[in-house]
Amino acid sequence: MALLSRLMPPVLATGPAERLRAGFGAFLGILVTALASTLWLGTGATPLLLIAPMGASAVLLFGVPASPLAQPWAILGGNLVAALIGVTAARWIGSPLLAASLAVGGTMLATSLLRCVHPPSGAVALTAVLGGPHIVALGYGFALVPVGLNSALLLAVALVYNNVTRRSYPHHAHPPAHPHPPKAPLALDEGDIDAVLADYGEPLDISREDLGVLLRELLGRIEQRSNER
């Protein structure tokens, strides 16, 4: 049982309303992206209207819009870079399996260096290699249509929907709904936060700014609880 509990992810601190908001946002994002792509490309381009990685992008953009992996440069830069790398691998490497593997690995490396890591980009790279003759025939145009078009449309919906539903997007660190600031000012140095994260040894899906806000709030709540005793 202990092993099984370690395999389960932690319970997210989200209620039914947030789950419904995220689910409807993903539905709306994919629907608008598909309809707008249809108007742009016409119904004769059915296989190219919407690529599967957009489903994963929608989960990030609407489900966890505060994630660094879901920010505008992540989806646009990550997906475009992945498409270019995937097409290049498909053109120059004879073995599809080797090309697919190198495309995903190259995408991970390139997007890390360019600060646009976006998990669905790995699927974009795979699609460029293994998507079939209609994808291969597009060549580097695949990066613009459908990848660039789909990504831009989905991002546009996310920008409107997340802000209308009161989620900061592009995300910026902000106080919680019911702040408890500590009485003594807490001077946090970004260098110290970076050093702690580096010493932790594993990348975390949260920005240093959000960590600072959460730490101040946590200390403020501890201070208030201590004063109430």
Side-chain angles (χ1 to χ4, degrees):
M1 293 300 295
L3 176 61
L4 289 176
S5 64
R6 291 182 62 184
L7 296 176
M8 295 291 290
V11 178
L12 296 177
T14 56
E18 174 58 22
R19 296 189 182 99
L20 183 61
R21 187 205 71 84
F24 183 75
F27 157 77
L28 190 64
I30 294 298
L31 179 64
V32 171
T33 300
L35 291 176
S37 296
T38 301
L39 292 174
W40 183 282
L41 300 173
T43 55
T46 303
L48 307 177
L49 292 178
L50 189 66
I51 56 174
M54 290 302 112
S57 291
V59 171
L60 283 172
L61 268 63
F62 298 97
V64 282
S67 168
L69 307 177
Q71 300 313 297
W73 172 235
I75 180 174
L76 288 179
N79 285 347
L80 288 174
V81 167
L84 294 172
I85 291 175
V87 172
T88 301
R91 283 194 167 192
W92 293 98
I93 300 172
S95 168
L97 293 181
L98 180 58
S101 302
L102 288 174
V104 174
T107 294
M108 184 69 244
L109 177 60
T111 55
S112 295
L113 293 173
L114 295 172
R115 297 174 58 188
C116 56
V117 174
H118 185 63
S121 298
V124 171
L126 276 181
T127 303
V129 178
L130 305 175
H134 59 283
I135 296 293
V136 174
L138 292 175
Y140 287 104
F142 174 68
L144 295 178
V145 179
V147 174
L149 177 63
N150 282 181
S151 300
L153 289 169
L154 188 63
L155 174 59
V157 178
L159 286 167
V160 174
Y161 182 81
N162 282 325
N163 283 285
V164 167
T165 56
R166 299 184 179 181
R167 299 295 180 273
S168 65
Y169 190 80
H171 178 70
H172 61 274
H174 57 82
H178 307 288
H180 299 73
K183 292 182 179 179
L186 182 62
L188 291 176
D189 186 271
E190 288 187 355
D192 290 335
I193 297 178
D194 287 341
V196 170
L197 290 173
D199 191 50
Y200 189 68
E202 297 181 22
L204 298 177
D205 189 16
I206 186 171
S207 69
R208 71 164 73 93
E209 292 79 12
D210 281 324
L211 280 175
V213 169
L214 294 176
L215 177 58
R216 288 186 178 92
E217 177 65 16
L218 179 61
L219 292 176
R221 289 176 181 247
I222 293 174
E223 183 181 85
Q224 183 183 69
R225 188 167 61 249
S226 298
N227 293 335
E228 291 173 352
R229 291 175 179 174

